[in-house]
């Protein structure tokens, strides 16, 4: 039975890996130049735009992190995090997407976020784009490494493969299809990965509920644990600990990160028709709220299954989905194939973020640093070669960072999310909606936001008390204040900059 289960899981995962490689090969011919490689020629349809954005956003956090939090400490932390992310998702699609799509095309047809910053403010010296590219590399390279690490841990746990071997194989597959097909391959594979993720969480929730003894047993278990089913308390060491207003606000601040996420904002820029963003917004918002709600329920169901003795009590709650999938696989070959599809969903969740991060980091290095500073007159063919070489080099660095199997994936993701949210979020909002913003103000906001993340994370937050809040919130505020103050203290933008701003505004 164990052999049958492992065989079914292997077949499903290998089939999935072959499928995404096939996507990369198919999309390879669509990359005539770096604009196609990094932005897909602005040809994404509304459904691919919506689902690839959310798949690249959610990562393995949706299938591992969120259920793990709910499994371990109950509803409060998972609920408020999900609510903040859900609101952030909707607002980002609602106010940023269409304006960014039209503005990036009008401002010199920008293909990367750093390039947009320089062209938006007529920064001929490319200071903004170079600094923004450095920020992306600082936060995205280790973020990419965390994705490789998650893949390695999954294969190592399932099949007993050496961690480094499993991680390198995963990285090679991701690099291969991304390097071949670029942005279009990443977006298309992300679309299918979101479908696999959706199937995974629905099947696991249903089977897990049955395993735990039904809905009634799940509800009774949740109510029996102190603070577990409360929105204002956490279940910690058998007792209820308060989950106060400051903690709620700090947790919901995760939603602010969306305004500065390069791999998500690129989807807005890449849609074929900005008028179709309305449909994309609806699809993305509905999927995000439902998917996160189901993920939280999986954690609660898993805790009940442990209490009922159907599965062992887990020291690491983030493995609950994998444990339930492995249990499902013991019911025969067909169920093993289904379990393999579910575990491929975990792999898909990780890969969907890693491929987007690789593209964002490599585009920043090749287009916004190498091309701007050292090789302005590269031919199209040379640019494509540099783009692919850069992507491979960044992947190698990511593999080196991920070499430690005990590294904390969640902590890396949390820190990188805060870094992008604070360094880019206020700048994006100011660039799109405040015409008095100057390039000096944008630069001040970007630098102050990034620095505050480090200072708050490693100096201020350890002091505890009211200062123990997620670093994104204070850093976002600091960056916003710097943008306003510095912009008002420096000369107003030129008439040409104002004209472009008004033109983008008319297309909202």
């Amino acid at each position: 039975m164990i052999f049958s289960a492992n065989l079914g899981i292997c077949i499903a995962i290998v089939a999935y890996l072959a499928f995404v490689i096939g996507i990369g090969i198919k999309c390879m011919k669509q990359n005539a130049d770096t604009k196609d490689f990094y932005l897909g020629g602005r040809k994404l349809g509304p459904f691919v735009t919506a689902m690839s954005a959310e798949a690249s956003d959610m990562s393995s956090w949706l299938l591992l992190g969120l259920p793990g939090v709910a499994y371990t400490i109950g509803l409060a932390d998972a609920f408020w995090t999900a609510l903040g992310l859900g609101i952030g998702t909707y607002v980002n699609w609602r106010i940023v997407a269409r304006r960014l799509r039209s503005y990036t095309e009008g401002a010199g047809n920008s293909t990367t976020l750093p390039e947009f910053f320089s062209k938006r403010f007529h920064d001929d010296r490319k200071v903004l784009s170079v600094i923004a590219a450095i920020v992306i590399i600082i936060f995205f390279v280790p973020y990419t490494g965390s994705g490789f690490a998650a893949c390695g841990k999954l294969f190592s746990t399932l099949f007993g493969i050496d961690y480094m071997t499993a991680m390198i194989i995963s990285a090679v597959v991701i690099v291969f299809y991304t390097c071949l097909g670029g942005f279009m391959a990443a977006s298309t594979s992300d679309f299918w990965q979101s479908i696999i993720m959706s199937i995974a969480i629905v099947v696991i929730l249903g089977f897990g509920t049955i395993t735990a003894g039904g809905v009634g047993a799940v509800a009774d278990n949740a109510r029996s644990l102190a603070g577990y089913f409360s929105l204002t308390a956490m279940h910690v060491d058998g007792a209820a600990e308060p989950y106060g207003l400051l903690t709620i606000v700090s947790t919901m601040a995760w939603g602010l990160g969306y305004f500065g996420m390069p791999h998500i904002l690129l989807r807005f820029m890449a849609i074929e028709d900005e008028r179709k963003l309305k449909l994309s917004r609806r699809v993305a918002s509905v999927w995000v709220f439902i998917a996160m709600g189901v993920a939280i329920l999986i954690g609660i169901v898993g805790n009940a299954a442990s209490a009922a003795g159907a599965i062992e009590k887990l020291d690491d709650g983030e493995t609950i989905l994998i444990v339930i999938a492995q249990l499902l696989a013991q019911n025969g070959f067909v169920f093993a194939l289904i379990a393999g599809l579910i575990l491929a969903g975990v792999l898909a969740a990780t890969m969907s973020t890693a491929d987007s991060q690789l593209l964002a980091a490599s585009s920043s290095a090749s287009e916004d640093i190498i091309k701007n500073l050292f090789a302005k007159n590269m031919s199209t063919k040379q640019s494509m070669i540099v783009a692919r070489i850069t992507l491979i080099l960044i992947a190698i660095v990511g593999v080196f960072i991920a070499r430690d199997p005990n590294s904390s994936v969640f902590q890396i993701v949390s820190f990188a999310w805060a870094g992008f949210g604070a360094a880019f979020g206020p700048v994006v909002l100011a660039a799109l909606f405040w015409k008095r913003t100057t390039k000096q103000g944008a630069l001040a906001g970007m630098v102050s936001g990034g620095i505050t993340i480090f200072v708050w994370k490693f100096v201020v937050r350890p002091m505890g008390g009211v200062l123990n809040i997620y670093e994104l919130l204070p850093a976002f505020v600091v960056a916003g204040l710097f943008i306003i103050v510095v912009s008002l203290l420096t000369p107003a933008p030129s008439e040409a900059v104002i004209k472009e701003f008004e033109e983008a505004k008319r297309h909202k």
Side-chain angles (χ1 to χ4, degrees):
M1 181 67 73
I2 294 177
F3 174 78
S4 177
N6 285 339
L7 178 62
I9 291 173
C10 282
I11 289 174
I13 291 179
V14 169
Y16 165 74
L17 293 176
F19 176 67
V20 294
I21 289 174
I23 290 175
I25 294 173
K26 183 178 179 181
C27 293
M28 182 171 59
K29 295 180 180 179
Q30 301 179 34
N31 294 314
D33 54 31
T34 52
K35 292 187 182 299
D36 291 332
F37 188 75
Y38 286 128
L39 204 58
R42 299 187 192 267
K43 300 172 185 175
L44 293 192
F47 286 99
V48 174
T49 299
M51 299 309 295
S52 68
E54 300 317 312
S56 66
D57 160 30
M58 285 295 146
S59 182
S60 56
W61 178 85
L62 177 69
L63 301 184
L64 302 180
L66 193 57
V69 170
Y71 176 93
T72 305
I73 60 177
L75 184 61
D77 196 52
F79 174 84
W80 292 116
T81 301
L83 182 61
L85 290 172
I87 294 173
T89 296
Y90 176 79
V91 173
N92 199 29
W93 279 97
R94 185 71 179 85
I95 71 171
V96 171
R98 192 162 185 176
R99 179 72 68 87
L100 184 65
R101 171 63 177 81
S102 63
Y103 211 156
T104 52
E105 188 171 26
N109 196 23
S110 307
T111 56
T112 68
L113 193 62
E115 183 183 12
F116 167 65
F117 289 150
S118 277
K119 289 186 175 179
R120 157 66 175 87
F121 296 103
H122 289 201
D123 173 27
D124 297 330
R125 297 177 62 188
K126 309 295 184 183
V127 175
L128 282 173
S129 61
V130 171
I131 297 298
I134 292 173
V135 170
I136 287 176
I137 292 171
I138 288 173
F139 289 110
F140 254 158
V141 172
Y143 203 162
T144 302
S146 74
F148 293 160
C151 291
K153 289 178 182 180
L154 173 62
F155 284 123
S156 179
T157 301
L158 284 175
F159 307 117
I161 303 173
D162 174 69
Y163 167 79
M164 275 296 293
T165 302
M167 187 265 290
I168 291 174
I169 291 173
S170 303
V172 168
V173 172
I174 295 170
V175 170
F176 186 70
Y177 77 77
T178 306
C179 200
L180 287 179
F183 183 83
M184 187 60 74
S187 296
T188 304
S189 62
D190 289 353
F191 169 75
W192 288 106
Q193 286 160 357
S194 69
I195 295 175
I196 296 174
M197 290 160 62
S198 301
I199 294 172
I201 58 177
V202 170
V203 172
I204 287 297
L205 178 61
F207 179 73
T209 302
I210 295 171
T211 302
V215 175
V218 173
D220 290 342
N221 177 72
R223 286 193 291 263
S224 70
L225 302 174
Y228 190 84
F229 213 51
S230 170
L231 294 180
T232 56
M234 296 184 299
H235 180 72
V236 180
D237 296 329
E241 288 193 0
Y243 199 90
L245 180 60
L246 181 62
T247 306
I248 290 173
V249 173
S250 172
T251 303
M252 289 186 67
W254 272 78
L256 294 173
Y258 281 108
F259 302 122
M261 292 297 127
H263 56 299
I264 298 173
L265 298 176
L266 281 174
R267 265 64 181 186
F268 300 163
M269 296 162 59
I271 194 168
E272 60 184 354
D273 185 346
E274 64 186 65
R275 292 170 296 183
K276 295 181 180 179
L277 282 167
K278 184 176 183 180
L279 174 59
S280 297
R281 180 183 75 237
R282 291 173 176 173
V283 172
S285 299
V286 170
W287 185 84
V288 161
F289 275 104
I290 293 176
M292 288 193 295
V294 173
I296 292 171
L297 289 175
I298 288 172
I300 295 172
V301 164
N303 189 287
S306 291
I311 59 175
E312 63 181 11
K313 190 69 175 178
L314 302 177
D315 294 328
D316 183 2
E318 290 189 353
T319 63
I320 182 60
L321 187 143
I322 296 174
V323 170
I324 295 176
Q326 289 176 312
L327 184 63
L328 174 64
Q330 303 303 315
N331 290 281
F333 185 71
V334 174
F335 288 99
L337 287 175
I338 296 173
L341 181 64
I342 292 168
L343 294 171
V346 179
L347 182 62
T350 304
M351 292 173 69
S352 63
T353 302
D355 56 20
S356 298
Q357 292 163 348
L358 267 176
L359 279 170
S362 65
S363 66
S364 295
S366 64
E367 293 292 294
D368 300 310
I369 295 179
I370 296 175
K371 195 171 181 178
N372 277 342
L373 297 181
F374 307 110
K376 296 181 180 180
N377 298 317
M378 280 194 297
S379 66
T380 298
K381 184 178 181 180
Q382 289 172 331
S383 296
M384 289 296 296
I385 292 173
V386 170
R388 289 190 166 105
I389 291 176
T390 305
L391 190 148
I392 293 171
L393 292 175
I394 287 175
I396 292 173
V397 176
V399 167
F400 178 78
I401 291 173
R403 69 191 186 282
D404 180 9
N406 297 316
S407 58
S408 174
V409 173
F410 178 79
Q411 290 299 323
I412 295 173
V413 171
S414 172
F415 185 65
W417 184 270
F420 286 125
F424 290 157
V427 178
V428 169
L429 293 175
L432 296 179
F433 298 104
W434 189 36
K435 64 182 177 183
R436 183 61 177 81
T437 309
T438 65
K439 61 183 177 183
Q440 295 88 347
L443 181 60
M446 193 184 304
V447 173
S448 64
I451 291 175
T452 303
I453 288 295
F454 283 92
V455 172
W456 199 277
K457 171 72 174 180
F458 298 108
V459 179
V460 179
R461 192 172 184 180
M463 296 179 184
V466 296
L467 299 176
N468 185 27
I469 59 177
Y470 185 33
E471 53 269 17
L472 173 54
L473 181 57
F476 195 95
V477 173
V478 168
L481 291 175
F482 265 85
I483 291 172
I484 294 171
V485 172
V486 174
S487 291
L488 293 176
L489 292 176
T490 50
S494 66
E495 290 185 9
V497 172
I498 296 297
K499 183 179 179 181
E500 284 182 359
F501 180 91
E502 295 295 343
E503 182 66 23
K505 185 177 179 181
R506 282 194 291 270
H507 283 85
K508 68 178 180 177

